[in-house]
Amino acid sequence: LLFSLHHPLHPLLCPVALHEVLSAGRDCLVAGDSCSSDETCSPRLRTLRQCVAGDGSMKLGPGARSQCANAVSALISSPLHGCQCKRGMKKEKNCLSIYWSLHQSHLPQMFCLVILVLFYATDSWFLLFLAPTDSEANVATVNRCLDAAKACNVDDLCQKLRTEYVSACIKPLAKSGLCNKAKCNKALRRFFDRVPPAYTHELLFCPCTDKACAERRRQTIVPGCSYEDSDKPSCLIQMSMCKGDYVCRSRLAQFQYDCQPAESSANSCKQGNYGACLLAYTGLIGSSITPNYVDNSTSSVAPWCSCSASGNQRVECSDFLEYFTNNVCLSEWLPSSHHKNHAFPE
């Protein structure tokens, strides 16, 4: 599910349902175990999984639509309704497979349940850590990117996981000589999921006033392996790959919810929490739609994809890409936003 920058979120999201879900906060793994052990719930969950598994509903025969509708109605009142998954949790993919079995139904009554906040809330200390300070007016004399690297190196967890992903991303495969992108992405996800934002966000969002600093920041995720490729694929292909992966699909939904723009809002974010937007942005790193700084001349970010060959799906493709390239909620809080339209000095 993709939200357009030009269309409000509310037609696809019921605020009441969202509030109920957030208040419930049940673990989908626990709820799934509870359902599987219940003789009434278990067969209905199996039926729903058939309904949402491609052409699985064909196996249910002529009465498929009715069976699917009945399964949804029954499960809405089960422990599965309102369950959540936590970003980076153990068995995250298993948890999300249960979540999406219920929420990816194409039945109209499920539209209210498509999006909810899956992951942990942003800590208030993180918001204070990223808030602009008077001292930042003098960034030319303080290299925040270098300071961030030093801070990571003296923290055991940050140093360990950073070393792991850098090693995974630069080590070539014996046969091809190319990097192991899958291993690189997995290590990146582990780093951004497990290391506190006080370290990861200072590395990724440190302010720069020159190209050398901006290039160091751009290289944070080892883009030669995790981001760039010889050709830019269609964003539609990247979106399709993301949709087929429970973790990526969930993180994209989280990003589009937390980073929904609203120019009338005090901080340009409809949800009013720019820290949550940046946190959701980092959740996409290591996925098929990994975003990064596009160059070392500005602070513009985007996934490594293009809409040049999107044909009659150009609007859908552009809406997706503009969530990164033309999103006031995100761009307002990226570092050196005043350099958006101006090149850094040599």
Side-chain angles (χ1 to χ4, degrees):
L1 175 67
L2 297 175
F3 301 136
S4 167
L5 285 169
H6 311 295
H7 295 82
L9 182 64
H10 63 268
L12 296 180
L13 178 67
C14 291
V16 175
L18 177 62
H19 173 73
E20 290 174 352
V21 166
L22 293 176
S23 299
R26 289 183 286 269
D27 185 316
C28 289
L29 287 174
V30 175
D33 288 342
S34 175
C35 181
S36 296
S37 61
D38 184 281
E39 60 181 17
T40 301
C41 185
S42 183
R44 285 169 175 165
L45 179 59
R46 286 198 300 271
T47 297
L48 185 61
R49 281 178 163 164
Q50 283 186 291
C51 295
V52 300
D55 62 352
S57 59
M58 299 291 288
K59 300 175 183 177
L60 297 175
R65 184 171 182 81
S66 176
Q67 290 183 58
C68 292
N70 290 338
V72 171
S73 298
L75 291 174
I76 282 178
S77 59
S78 79
L80 287 172
H81 174 53
C83 74
Q84 297 183 56
C85 300
K86 197 173 191 178
R87 172 173 157 179
M89 68 183 289
K90 189 177 181 180
K91 297 184 178 180
E92 180 182 5
K93 185 172 261 188
N94 292 345
C95 183
L96 290 172
S97 72
I98 296 171
Y99 169 83
W100 283 111
S101 290
L102 184 63
H103 295 287
Q104 79 179 49
S105 169
H106 298 296
L107 296 174
Q109 61 262 45
M110 290 302 294
F111 282 177
C112 289
L113 307 173
V114 172
I115 293 299
L116 53 88
V117 179
L118 291 167
F119 305 143
Y120 50 79
T122 307
D123 292 326
S124 57
W125 58 263
F126 167 55
L127 300 183
L128 294 172
F129 192 82
L130 279 184
T133 63
D134 293 337
S135 63
E136 287 187 3
N138 195 29
V139 292
T141 59
V142 179
N143 190 326
R144 285 271 295 275
C145 294
L146 187 57
D147 287 347
K150 290 178 179 177
C152 181
N153 285 337
V154 297
D155 178 82
D156 290 342
L157 181 62
C158 187
Q159 192 273 338
K160 176 179 180 291
L161 296 186
R162 188 177 180 219
T163 299
E164 284 183 7
Y165 86 70
V166 170
S167 177
C169 294
I170 65 174
K171 186 177 181 180
L173 292 168
K175 292 185 178 180
S176 66
L178 301 174
C179 73
N180 188 330
K181 190 168 185 174
K183 189 173 182 181
C184 171
N185 284 338
K186 183 176 181 180
L188 276 168
R189 289 195 300 272
R190 180 179 165 89
F191 176 76
F192 283 102
D193 286 349
R194 300 193 181 185
V195 177
Y199 296 103
T200 61
H201 289 244
E202 275 294 284
L203 283 168
L204 196 61
F205 302 126
C206 53
C208 288
T209 57
D210 60 74
K211 285 189 174 182
C213 174
E215 181 60 22
R216 181 188 185 106
R217 183 179 63 195
R218 194 183 75 84
Q219 290 292 331
T220 298
I221 66 169
V222 194
C225 183
S226 67
Y227 180 65
E228 302 161 349
D229 209 338
S230 55
D231 297 307
K232 277 192 176 183
S234 167
C235 291
L236 295 172
I237 294 176
Q238 302 298 80
M239 289 161 59
S240 178
M241 291 173 61
C242 183
K243 183 180 178 182
D245 179 86
Y246 289 129
V247 174
C248 185
R249 180 196 304 176
S250 302
R251 297 194 180 197
L252 176 58
Q254 187 78 49
F255 170 70
Q256 291 177 316
Y257 177 81
D258 286 333
C259 295
Q260 190 182 12
E263 293 186 4
S264 58
S265 171
N267 62 9
S268 303
C269 299
K270 184 170 183 178
Q271 308 311 325
N273 190 338
Y274 75 87
C277 174
L278 294 182
L279 194 64
Y281 172 93
T282 64
L284 295 174
I285 296 174
S287 73
S288 61
I289 54 172
T290 294
N292 195 30
Y293 297 99
V294 297
D295 53 40
N296 60 13
S297 298
T298 67
S299 293
S300 299
V301 298
W304 184 261
C305 65
S306 166
C307 290
S308 60
S310 51
N312 59 4
Q313 292 179 282
R314 185 60 181 256
V315 173
E316 179 186 357
C317 187
S318 296
D319 283 347
F320 164 76
L321 196 53
E322 286 182 6
Y323 233 91
F324 298 90
T325 63
N326 188 30
N327 184 339
V328 67
C329 175
L330 179 62
S331 63
E332 182 71 15
W333 300 105
L334 286 173
S336 303
S337 60
H338 57 286
H339 285 298
K340 289 284 175 200
N341 300 313
H342 305 283
F344 290 130
E346 297 292 344

